[in-house]
Amino acid sequence: MKKQFTGLVILLASVGFAHQPFWNPGSPSLEQAYRILEPTVSKVVTSQVNAGQLGFYVLELAAGFVLDLGLFVGAACPPAFQPRMWLVGPGLEGNERPPFAIPGGMGAKVFAGGWRDYRGHGLVARQGPELRERLRGGTYYVVVEAGNAAGYYMLSLAGAEVPGGTPEGRAALARFNRCG
């Protein structure tokens, strides 16, 4: 048991050094969006949603910034938990209408599907939609749509590897892997 615990601590520590881990306790609306600071720095934000809920994130991006995001869910979460990820901002056009109001002058694009098993960086997960978009700059929102199931998810933001994060973010990694 001690050996397994030591291995888990090492794996979780490696995740903390690979990306800055943060915990989002809930961001159910555009007005209450979780602010992702320093989008040029690699980080993971873990959160939980119930069936039918949304999680909102806001980023301020420079013109020409390439936003590189991935969405993961805990492998222990129900197989039906396959959230969709929306990108909302200026100059975006999509082929679906989002299940939330978008600010004037902005468009929305959905990223869905692609779910596959993932093991790495101390995670036992399923990796889903990914987006890599060069953006014109300004305020952008990322919205995670739970769908018909509940669970833990993680947004992974690519960027420079800089130590940091929060104790709450590191603690959330174990809950993510257990989906509870």
Side-chain angles (χ1 to χ4, degrees):
M1 179 71 158
K2 184 177 179 183
K3 191 175 185 179
Q4 290 174 332
F5 178 75
T6 303
L8 179 63
V9 169
I10 291 168
L11 287 173
L12 291 177
S14 70
V15 171
F17 291 121
H19 294 348
Q20 292 182 354
F22 294 93
W23 167 248
N24 172 7
S27 50
S29 69
L30 212 59
E31 298 76 26
Q32 297 172 311
Y34 182 92
R35 186 165 296 280
I36 297 178
L37 302 173
E38 299 180 297
T40 59
V41 173
S42 176
K43 53 190 61 144
V44 293
V45 182
T46 304
S47 192
Q48 179 183 23
V49 287
N50 291 318
Q53 285 186 324
L54 302 167
F56 290 83
Y57 298 82
V58 63
L59 303 101
E60 297 295 332
L61 304 176
F65 183 83
V66 177
L67 183 59
D68 189 351
L69 281 176
L71 183 62
F72 294 79
V73 301
C77 292
F81 183 53
Q82 296 185 10
R84 300 188 324 161
M85 179 170 54
W86 292 84
L87 179 61
V88 178
L92 296 175
E93 292 182 27
N95 58 1
E96 278 191 51
R97 183 165 174 80
F100 51 87
I102 57 174
M106 293 190 171
K109 200 171 180 183
V110 68
F111 298 83
W115 293 98
R116 62 198 176 278
D117 289 342
Y118 176 88
R119 289 193 184 340
H121 297 96
L123 297 178
V124 178
R126 292 190 311 271
Q127 183 176 6
E130 300 174 276
L131 73 88
R132 184 172 170 78
E133 299 275 326
R134 182 173 302 279
L135 301 169
R136 64 165 69 165
T139 301
Y140 287 83
Y141 296 91
V142 175
V143 183
V144 176
E145 177 189 357
N148 294 326
Y152 278 79
Y153 69 88
M154 180 184 291
L155 278 179
S156 175
L157 176 66
E161 300 294 338
V162 177
T166 63
E168 296 86 4
R170 284 184 280 285
L173 297 175
R175 291 191 307 272
F176 172 84
N177 275 336
R178 292 188 317 264
C179 199

